[in-house]
Structure formats: C-alpha cells, structure tokens
C-alpha cells in the first residue's frame, strides 16, 4: 500500500498536540516533499532521513515521488522530532512495517546520518499529554474500545519522560531498534520488543545547598528571608555593596521544602520544553539568576515560536534579580502581571501561548549609584537628586507587588568577627515546613496566593491589629493592594509563631517590611 500513517506530537507552548504523519509514494519524477506548515528544521529532515535509512541498511524509494504531510496543516511544526516518524512512515508505505503495530504507538526523535536517535526537547510535555488522553478515556470522554497509545522516544528523552506515571514509554538508541520491533509479521527476521523506559536517576534531596549559617550578622535580613520563605512572598534587599545580599539570596533555596510530585512535574515540563531539564535536580526548586542586561523577552518569554522565559523556568522556584535598578525598565515592568497572577500569556498575531510563572522574586539593589547612601562606614558621593532618580527606576506599581523590603546595612569588621554563627538553614527550614503545612491544611495554598474569599476567610486580624494596619495605610498612603499584601504577610508571621489569629505584634512586624522603599 503506497500510503502510511504514523502518529507523533508537536509542541505548542506547554501543550503537545497530536500530529499525524502521512506518507504517500507515487510514480513520477523522483522527489521528496514535506508539507504541513513545517519549519526549516523539519524540511531538513529530508536529508537526515534519506541518509539514516541508507546507512542503516534499509531501503529508500529513490525512484518514487515521496510526499509527507504533517497534519493538522495550520499547526506550526519545528525541530527534528519528526525524523523518526517520517522514516517509519516511508518504510511502512513500502510494505516493510506492520501498520497495525504503528497505529498502537506514537513516535518522536531526531535522526543522525548514521541512524542514531538523538534526544528531543519537550519529552515531558509529550508524556503529560498522553497521560491526559488516557485520563479522558478512563472517564469515558473518548471513543470506547480505543487502547491508549505508547510513546517511543530516544533513550535519553524516554528516561526523562518516564518520570510521568501511567504512560507506556519505550526508549531506543538507533533507528534499527525501532524497525526490528515493528517489522511486519511476514518478514524473514524476527522482530524484538521495544525496551520499556525507566526513569532517569535522580538525586532528589541529596544536593548540598549553601547554609545560611555562613552569613555573619544580618539577623534582621535572615528573619526576613524566613518570613518570605514561609509564605511564598517576594523579597527586596537594599544595602551597600558587600553587605551579603547575594549570599543571602543564594541560601534562600535551602529554606524551602522540596517540591511535591505535581509541582516537580510542572517545573520539569517547562525545563524540558526549553531543553534544560536535569534529572539530578528532580524535586529541587530552580533558582534562575539572569544578568541585568537581560531583555524583557528573555525574562517573560517570546520568540518565534514562543519559548518560556526566565520567570517560567523559575516556576515553583526562585527568580533572583541582582542589581535590580540596572535591568531595562521594560523588562521590570513586564514582571508586574506574572507577580500577581502566576502565569504569563504571550500573544502573537497568529497564536497565543500560556506559560506558568508562579515564582518567588528575590531582588537586591544598592540604595544609590555609588552604593553608600546611608552607609555609616563610608560617605555617599551622590546628590539627593541622583539618589531619587536611581530609586525611581523602580516604578510604584512594581514596588507595590514586592511584599518584603528589607535593609541590609553595612557592618564593621569588628562586629562581624564577634557575631555568632546564627541558625543553620536546616533548623529554619523546619519552621518554614511547619508554616507551609499549616497554610495548606487551612486554605490549600500558601499565604502569598490568597485572594478574594480565601483572603477574607483566613487572613483576618483582631480588632487592635486591624486598626493599626488601617492607621499605617492612611499615614503612608498605601494602596488597597499594599493593604492586602501586608495582611497576608502578617498572617505568615502569625503562622511562624503558631498563632491562630493575627495580632498587633505580627502586624507591626509586617508593616516594617514595607517601609524601606516607598512606592510612588
């Protein structure tokens, strides 16, 4: 039969829609045509597939007109993931493979000229898409009697995708491994079964993170880090150079509990889409630290086709922005909506893509251009106008969304030498874990994500604390957003103290965390 159909999947943001690879062989002038809104990388599959089949000892129809259609035609296709299904479709159209076996599987993989299978991006989103299909079939939302398809990937990609439970996953090193398993029943050679993929080795919680005990002094800043970690709040540290702001930020991840299964899969899926997933960091929260020259597209995502940016790669993790005022204004302003909603929508004329972006923002900055405004150890050389212009690089709406603002003062060497080591990250992490458990048991989310009815129900304070907050908001000119964020921050402080109700002492500490830089 000169027509064969092979199933595969494309990438459309974090989704992996099904793609049908149709191969037709016809008489006429020899040619190899690819259609179906394919990118340059897909068009180059003609040379890779032709060489891979020939170098693997398989037949290629040099005297035929080969037409490959990737359907649906209006879905953009990119990367070399369609090499393997195209090669198998050609062999099936020539009668060398069993079409019934092909229909039970989906395929993705890039071919080398020698036939080896190379890893592809987005293995986890493809496996998650298959699992969603199976869940729908289990609920009776799909055609009755359909058997869920398995997924065949290059071995390294299959180990990555095998972290998704409930999906039949197979790995192969070479094109011939797949061909032998799918060979027609009347072939002379006996086909061997495909190898089921096993999850890649993960280190889980065994990675050693820097300890907060290594930071001398800065007791107030350490307390602010604990509060931010306990409630999922954003944090801005302001202080002269060399006071330990970067050291504190680098140790923030050690205060957070490991990701649960769902969070780990969401984070890994975004990293897999960008080709940056490392199984050794499974369940570890990502910490992204882009340079201050990063553009708004680098931070929030974009391009053609759209790719996730740093805020999405930091999903369920930490985004550390050092030298915050030095970032382009447009890049910082692009963070406003993701900080509020936890996702980013990249809209283009033809398509739109939604990427998750529930990250914790940890930022650091100097108080002025020379860095020593308010430093008791060194005089500042900046004029008041220069200080005001420097701090005005951060807009009021952006600062309004930063829950915790803490001063990190300069400390003399004598005081540093006499400072005790303080608590370790492990002991603080235990309190943070208890606060997380308390919040999830009470309301299902961390305090930073409270809004609407949940905020009204679970973040109420006693009469004195509420009156104190209302007075502070009136005197300082805070917005309604600032009012609610301070309320959520006070709820976190109360959770760390094990209190059922927000009291005035909790509210007073929360208000102090909003007064380093005033939104204007």
């Amino acid at each position: 039969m000169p027509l064969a159909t092979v199933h595969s999947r494309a990438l459309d943001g974090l989704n992996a829609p099904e793609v049908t690879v149709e191969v037709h062989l016809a008489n006429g002038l020899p040619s190899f045509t690819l259609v179906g809104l394919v990118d340059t990388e897909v068009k180059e599959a003609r040379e890779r597939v032709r060489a891979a089949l020939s170098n693997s000892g398989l037949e290629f129809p040099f005297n035929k007109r080969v037409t490959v259609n990737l359907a649906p035609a209006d879905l953009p296709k990119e990367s070399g993931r369609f090499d393997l299904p195209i090669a198998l479709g050609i062999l099936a159209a020539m009668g060398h493979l069993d079409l019934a076996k092909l229909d039970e599987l989906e395929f993705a993989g890039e071919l080398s000229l020698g036939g080896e299978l190379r890893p592809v991006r987005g293995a986890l989103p493809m496996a998650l898409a298959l699992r969603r299909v199976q869940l729908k079939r289990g609920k009776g939302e799909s055609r009755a009697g359909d058997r869920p398809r398995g997924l065949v990937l290059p071995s390294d990609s299959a180990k990555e995708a095998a972290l998704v439970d409930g999906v039949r996953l197979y790995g192969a090193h070479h094109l011939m491994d797949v061909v032998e398993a799918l060979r027609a029943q009347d072939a002379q050679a006996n086909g061997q079964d495909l190898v089921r993929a096993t999850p890649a080795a993960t280190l889980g919680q065994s990675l050693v993170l820097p300890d907060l005990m290594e930071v001398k002094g800065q007791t107030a800043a350490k307390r602010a880090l604990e509060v931010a970690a306990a409630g999922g709040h954003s944090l801005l540290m302001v202080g002269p150079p060399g006071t330990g702001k970067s050291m504190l930020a680098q140790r923030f991840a050690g205060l957070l509990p490991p990701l649960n299964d769902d969070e780990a899969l969401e984070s890994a899926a975004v990293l897999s889409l960008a080709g940056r997933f490392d199984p050794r960091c499974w369940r570890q929260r990502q910490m992204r630290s882009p340079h201050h020259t990063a553009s708004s597209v680098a931070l929030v995502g974009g391009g053609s086709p759209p790719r996730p940016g740093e805020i999405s790669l930091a999903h369920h993790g930490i985004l550390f922005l050092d030298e915050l005022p030095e970032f382009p204004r447009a890049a910082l302003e692009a963070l406003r909506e993701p900080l509020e909603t936890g996702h980013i929508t990249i809209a283009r004329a033809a398509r739109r893509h939604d990427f998750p972006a529930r990250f914790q923002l940890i930022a650091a900055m100097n108080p002025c251009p020379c860095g020593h405004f308010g430093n008791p150890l060194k005089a500042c050389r900046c004029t008041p106008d220069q200080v005001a212009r420097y701090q005005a690089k951060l807009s009021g709406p952006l600062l309004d969304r930063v829950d915790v603002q803490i001063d990190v003062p300069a400390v003399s060497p004598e005081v540093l030498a006499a400072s005790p080591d303080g608590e370790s990250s492990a002991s603080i992490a235990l309190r943070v874990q208890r606060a997380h458990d308390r919040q999830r048991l009470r309301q299902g989310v961390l305090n930073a994500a409270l809004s609407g009815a949940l905020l009204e129900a679970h973040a109420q304070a006693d009469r004195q604390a509420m009156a104190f907050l209302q007075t502070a908001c009136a005197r300082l000119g805070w917005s309604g957003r600032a009012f609610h964020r301070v309320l959520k921050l006070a709820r976190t402080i109360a959770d760390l103290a094990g209190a059922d109700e927000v009291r005035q002492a909790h509210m007073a500490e929360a208000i102090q965390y909003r007064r380093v830089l005033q939104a204007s």
Side-chain angles (χ1 to χ4, degrees):
M1 184 178 182
L3 177 65
T5 300
V6 183
H7 303 283
S8 185
R9 289 192 177 269
L11 290 179
D12 185 22
L14 266 184
N15 298 318
E18 184 178 347
V19 171
T20 302
V21 180
E22 301 170 333
V23 181
H24 179 249
L25 305 183
N27 296 323
L29 291 176
S31 64
F32 193 162
T33 306
L34 281 166
V35 296
L37 201 58
V38 296
D39 200 357
T40 302
E41 297 166 322
V42 183
K43 291 179 181 178
E44 292 170 348
R46 294 176 296 191
E47 309 306 324
R48 292 192 296 269
V49 169
R50 184 185 291 116
L53 289 174
S54 300
N55 292 325
S56 299
L58 299 168
E59 183 181 355
F60 183 84
F62 288 101
N63 61 341
K64 295 287 187 179
R65 180 181 177 87
V66 182
T67 304
V68 178
N69 177 41
L70 305 182
D74 61 344
L75 177 68
K77 289 78 173 188
E78 49 89 21
S79 82
R81 70 183 61 255
F82 300 106
D83 291 3
L84 177 59
I86 290 173
L88 296 176
I90 291 174
L91 293 173
M94 297 171 65
H96 297 330
L97 294 180
D98 187 351
L99 291 175
K101 289 186 178 180
L102 278 177
D103 193 54
E104 297 176 356
L105 298 166
E106 295 182 0
F107 303 87
E110 180 182 334
L111 288 172
S112 72
L113 299 184
E116 291 83 8
L117 289 175
R118 290 174 173 162
V120 294
R121 292 186 304 106
L124 271 170
M126 286 189 284
L128 288 171
L130 266 180
R131 187 172 73 171
R132 285 193 293 269
V133 172
Q134 294 183 11
L135 291 175
K136 287 183 179 179
R137 284 175 174 161
K139 295 177 181 179
E141 298 179 18
S142 295
R143 292 173 298 176
D146 286 349
R147 183 190 179 194
R149 295 194 188 104
L151 180 61
V152 180
L153 294 169
S155 294
D156 291 341
S157 299
K159 291 178 181 179
E160 173 185 316
L163 293 168
V164 179
D165 293 330
V167 179
R168 289 189 296 130
L169 286 160
Y170 304 94
H173 294 282
H174 197 278
L175 172 62
M176 285 303 300
D177 297 337
V178 184
V179 171
E180 288 293 335
L182 299 174
R183 188 161 294 184
Q185 295 179 356
D186 58 352
Q188 297 295 325
N190 293 322
Q192 298 179 355
D193 291 336
L194 289 166
V195 178
R196 289 293 291 264
T198 56
T202 58
L203 297 182
Q205 304 179 41
S206 62
L207 289 178
V208 178
L209 298 174
D211 200 305
L212 198 59
M213 187 184 292
E214 299 168 357
V215 181
K216 297 290 185 179
Q218 303 298 358
T219 305
K222 291 179 181 179
R223 169 63 178 176
L225 255 68
E226 178 181 348
V227 172
H233 303 285
S234 51
L235 169 71
L236 171 62
M237 294 177 284
V238 184
T243 55
K245 300 186 296 294
S246 297
M247 287 185 67
L248 289 166
Q250 290 163 1
R251 284 150 180 79
F252 184 76
L255 308 182
L256 299 173
L259 300 172
N260 59 37
D261 288 341
D262 291 338
E263 292 172 340
L265 275 177
E266 290 177 13
S267 174
V270 179
L271 294 169
S272 175
L273 184 62
R276 300 180 184 179
F277 175 65
D278 185 354
R280 295 175 299 175
C281 299
W282 175 248
R283 289 183 179 276
Q284 291 290 327
R285 297 180 187 269
Q286 288 290 306
M287 182 169 181
R288 308 295 301 183
S289 305
H291 192 259
H292 63 258
T293 56
S295 66
S296 57
V297 172
L299 280 181
V300 303
S304 181
R307 300 283 181 87
E310 293 291 332
I311 62 173
S312 294
L313 296 176
H315 184 52
H316 290 311
I318 304 156
L319 179 68
F320 175 47
L321 302 183
D322 202 2
E323 306 296 344
L324 187 64
E326 304 300 333
F327 280 81
R329 180 68 175 253
L332 292 180
E333 295 305 305
L335 297 178
R336 285 156 55 175
E337 293 88 346
L339 278 171
E340 197 78 19
T341 63
H343 73 274
I344 180 72
T345 300
I346 301 173
R348 296 294 181 264
R351 310 187 70 84
R352 56 180 289 161
H353 295 76
D354 292 316
F355 294 109
R358 191 161 294 283
F359 60 94
Q360 265 190 273
L361 174 65
I362 306 296
M365 62 175 285
N366 297 325
C368 67
C370 78
H372 296 288
F373 179 70
N375 185 354
L377 305 180
K378 189 172 182 178
C380 175
R381 304 189 304 269
C382 304
T383 66
D385 185 55
Q386 288 176 318
V387 175
R389 284 202 307 270
Y390 187 78
Q391 295 187 2
K393 291 182 178 180
L394 305 180
S395 69
L398 177 62
L399 283 175
D400 215 22
R401 289 168 167 83
V402 179
D403 297 334
V404 181
Q405 301 171 17
I406 187 69
D407 184 29
V408 185
V411 182
S412 65
E414 294 81 8
V415 175
L416 280 178
S419 297
D421 290 338
E423 283 188 281
S424 66
S425 294
S427 61
I428 298 175
L430 288 176
R431 293 200 296 271
V432 170
Q433 179 69 70
R434 286 196 293 268
H436 279 210
D437 294 341
R438 186 184 183 93
Q439 293 164 41
R440 295 191 188 281
L441 182 64
R442 181 179 63 231
Q443 65 222 13
V445 296
L446 297 184
N447 289 332
L450 286 175
S451 62
L454 284 178
L455 181 63
E456 292 288 336
H458 301 294
Q460 287 303 307
D462 63 23
R463 184 184 307 174
Q464 290 182 334
M466 190 60 71
F468 188 29
L469 175 58
Q470 291 170 351
T471 302
C473 286
R475 291 184 178 179
L476 298 173
W478 283 348
S479 66
R481 180 190 293 115
F483 175 88
H484 288 127
R485 285 185 176 270
V486 171
L487 194 58
K488 290 186 281 188
L489 197 57
R491 177 67 266 178
T492 298
I493 295 170
D495 286 333
L496 281 170
D500 293 330
E501 190 176 25
V502 177
R503 301 190 179 94
Q504 188 170 353
H506 309 141
M507 193 68 72
E509 182 179 355
I511 290 173
Q512 289 300 313
Y513 289 140
R514 298 278 303 188
R515 300 192 60 191
V516 175
L517 292 176
Q518 294 300 317
S520 60

